[in-house]
Amino acid sequence: MASQSAFLPHARHSVRGFTLVEMVTVILILGILVVGISSFIIFGTRIFVESSSVDQVLSQSRFAVERMTRELRSALPSSVRINSDSLTYQCVEFVPIEASTTYLSMPIAPNATALTGTVILNATDQIKENQYIWIYPLTDSDVYNSARQKRAQIKTFTSLGEPPNPANQVTLTFMASTRFSEASPRQRIYFGSAPVSYCFEKAPSGNELTLKRYTVYGFNVSQPTPAHMSSGILMAQSVANVLSNSADLPLILTPSSLVNNAMVHLQPRFNVNGETFQYRHQVQVINVP
């Protein structure tokens, strides 16, 4: 008996994939997610950059105003003066006090000129050769103009306790024979080396101002302009005051008198990312000549 072959059906292998509609849908969803995430990242980055810019200007301006305030508080009496140009700059100049004490003997009119004078000091680390001294300065001319006979320059000085001086006395030797025009009522004498200027200057490009600090340019009878001083050190940028507007000047000086101290009004206005903030400091310069 012949055997019959059994024919088994072949198993079907199903082939599965994505349709065009599914692919387009996925692409649209991914595109929406990417746009949303990228917008969030860009927005966060922009906030970070703007916050960093504001923080940088705040820190810079705070440091500059604080340093100006500290230096002005220790300014020599009657040494503060302001010079400005309505288009390009406004500067405040003063002489920082490096030491002050009482003198015992000084060549003061009507006495004859002399090369030496004696002062009381507890330490000599604050005085040095080539330093300047002032006795009874009442105006800025007394500070900056040597012809007023209120200023002299130290050539050398003795150490504390060096014979024939007692332990707390120092003899100063001047660069030239000197005679001061007036005596201080309290026999007060001031020591300093060089004037300092802070200038708000118009930036090379744009309408904003920069703040620079100048020193080591010497004494001048007339207050110098930024162009006549040494290279300044940049202290702050983005200053928005308008120099041609007398109500918006960054510096205002109320001069001293015999009964009142000098007052410097610091009111620089800074601009960053369209936002403006302003400082309003009043610095009192003690007038004790």
Side-chain angles (χ1 to χ4, degrees), residues 11-286:
R12 289 186 176 181
H13 298 282
S14 59
V15 179
R16 306 184 63 185
F18 297 105
T19 64
L20 180 61
V21 175
E22 292 174 331
M23 292 181 64
V24 171
T25 303
V26 171
I27 292 173
L28 288 175
I29 294 173
L30 290 175
I32 293 172
L33 290 174
V34 169
V35 170
I37 294 173
S38 62
S39 299
F40 178 77
I41 294 174
I42 292 173
F43 181 71
T45 303
R46 184 178 301 168
I47 291 177
F48 174 76
V49 172
E50 292 179 355
S51 299
S52 298
S53 300
V54 172
D55 183 66
Q56 181 180 3
V57 173
L58 277 171
S59 300
Q60 187 184 68
S61 61
R62 189 181 299 115
F63 168 78
V65 172
E66 179 64 23
R67 179 159 183 178
M68 286 181 66
T69 300
R70 291 188 178 188
E71 289 195 79
L72 282 166
R73 282 175 181 164
S74 63
L76 178 72
S78 304
S79 69
V80 181
R81 58 182 181 176
I82 287 180
N83 186 22
S84 62
D85 180 271
S86 61
L87 297 178
T88 56
Y89 68 88
Q90 186 186 35
C91 297
V92 57
E93 184 181 32
F94 57 94
V95 178
I97 297 173
E98 297 178 359
S100 63
T101 186
T102 301
Y103 64 84
L104 293 177
S105 64
M106 283 286 164
I108 299 174
N111 296 328
T113 61
L115 281 172
T116 61
T118 306
V119 299
I120 296 176
L121 281 176
N122 294 322
T124 56
D125 56 349
Q126 291 181 305
I127 66 173
K128 52 184 178 288
E129 296 177 358
N130 300 320
Q131 205 170 35
Y132 292 90
I133 58 173
W134 288 265
I135 294 179
Y136 206 44
L138 297 177
T139 66
D140 56 37
S141 295
D142 293 341
V143 175
Y144 298 97
N145 188 353
S146 59
R148 303 281 294 180
Q149 296 185 350
K150 297 292 185 79
R151 185 183 86 206
Q153 191 173 14
I154 300 172
K155 182 177 182 181
T156 59
F157 59 90
T158 61
S159 300
L160 289 172
E162 182 176 325
N165 293 332
N168 65 339
Q169 293 184 19
V170 172
T171 297
L172 307 177
T173 302
F174 309 131
M175 286 286 188
S177 189
T178 300
R179 180 176 63 182
F180 293 93
S181 60
E182 292 182 87
S184 168
R186 295 295 183 90
Q187 293 184 269
R188 198 181 310 274
I189 185 170
Y190 292 96
F191 297 77
S193 293
V196 171
S197 289
Y198 281 89
C199 294
F200 291 90
E201 306 173 33
K202 189 172 182 180
S205 60
N207 295 321
E208 292 187 339
L209 307 176
T210 60
L211 174 61
K212 292 184 178 180
R213 182 181 185 272
Y214 294 87
T215 188
V216 197
Y217 56 84
F219 288 88
N220 296 268
V221 175
S222 299
Q223 186 173 351
T225 66
H228 295 88
M229 293 186 284
S230 58
S231 299
I233 298 174
L234 181 64
M235 302 295 292
Q237 296 175 297
S238 303
V239 183
N241 296 78
V242 180
L243 296 177
S244 59
N245 183 359
S246 59
D248 192 34
L249 293 174
L251 298 167
I252 297 176
L253 172 64
T254 302
S256 63
S257 65
L258 291 177
V259 294
N260 294 320
N261 297 318
M263 188 74 71
V264 180
H265 304 267
L266 301 178
Q267 47 191 34
R269 185 162 50 86
F270 294 86
N271 182 31
V272 56
N273 295 333
E275 299 181 9
T276 302
F277 58 93
Q278 187 170 23
Y279 292 89
R280 292 189 180 274
H281 284 205
Q282 292 183 344
V283 186
Q284 186 175 233
V285 182
I286 304 299

